Amino acid sequence: MNPYAEIRKVPLDYQGIQSNAYSVQRFDQNKGDDKFLSWKEVGTVSNNYLLVDNTRVRNMAEEIVSNSNLNMEEEKTFFDGRRYAISYIAKDNSIGEVAAGDDVAIGFQMWNSYDGSTSLGFKMMIYRLVCTNGMMSHNVLNKYRFRHSPDSENWEKELEKVSGLLQAGGEGKHDGVNNMISNFKRLNEAQVNVDELSDIRFNHLSEIPTGTWGSVIDRFLHKGNTGWDLLNSATDELWHKEKATVASYNQNATIVDGLCNWVAA
């Protein structure tokens, strides 16, 4: 699917009675040459919902990159027909070394949706450079939500704000980023045996689905025996997933936060 295909918001009505809801439709080029038949509904929204196309979101991301003065490049794009995310990495700018030759770098995502299921927003993240595993967080790293309403369409000040936060992270001046890197170092020194694994699973990561946890443990058994090995087994599984989902990104953040909480306890 082309994440940058044309979209439109059209009113819903029945026998001349117009609804307060609008249909959001995406042009699907795979459906043939008939333009009418090529529009596919991807959701319904209220009449005052500001529909933002993914091209504009990508341009917002590029503006953040430019404002931050960090040498960043696009790393990956996610699109499931309704939800969209674009990820950037400062690959040439190490912000810390977890172990010898194992550096991490700052990154971020911009999110959007055509059905209101995901907010238009910014999420800071950290990359492990040796394998470009993306590490997300629900609680520690900055997030920013851009309002989806016509009276808040001018986001220049907000873009400058998140650019400043990103630059601080890339320059070692962000407490949340520095704290997370410190926890990564602790994880690298923490041995994980059966007892620790049980504690992590049932007291810190109980909400992770059994199937996902099993796939992570399969990787961990081949990777090593430290908390950092376990974290990277999870991000290997979830960040590089062939068919990523919103759930897999959320599970990534849950596991990163859970393991950092475990090692800091």
Side-chain angles (χ1 to χ4, degrees), residues 160-208:
E160 290 177 6
K161 177 179 179 179
V162 298
S163 298
L165 293 170
L166 188 67
Q167 184 169 349
E171 294 177 348
K173 301 174 182 177
H174 188 288
D175 290 342
V177 171
N178 295 339
N179 181 62
M180 184 163 278
I181 294 172
S182 294
N183 282 329
F184 291 163
K185 292 177 180 179
R186 292 189 186 100
L187 284 167
N188 189 54
E189 297 172 355
Q191 297 296 305
V192 177
N193 60 27
V194 173
D195 290 337
E196 277 78 27
L197 204 56
S198 177
D199 178 35
I200 290 168
R201 172 56 171 158
F202 296 110
N203 295 320
H204 297 273
L205 298 177
S206 59
E207 62 268 52
I208 297 300

Side-chain angles (χ1 to χ4, degrees), residues 26-42:
R26 175 175 54 84
F27 185 65
D28 189 346
Q29 294 171 313
N30 297 323
K31 290 216 170 200
D33 296 328
D34 188 321
K35 185 144 184 156
F36 178 77
L37 294 177
S38 297
W39 287 97
K40 178 179 180 180
E41 183 176 85
V42 295

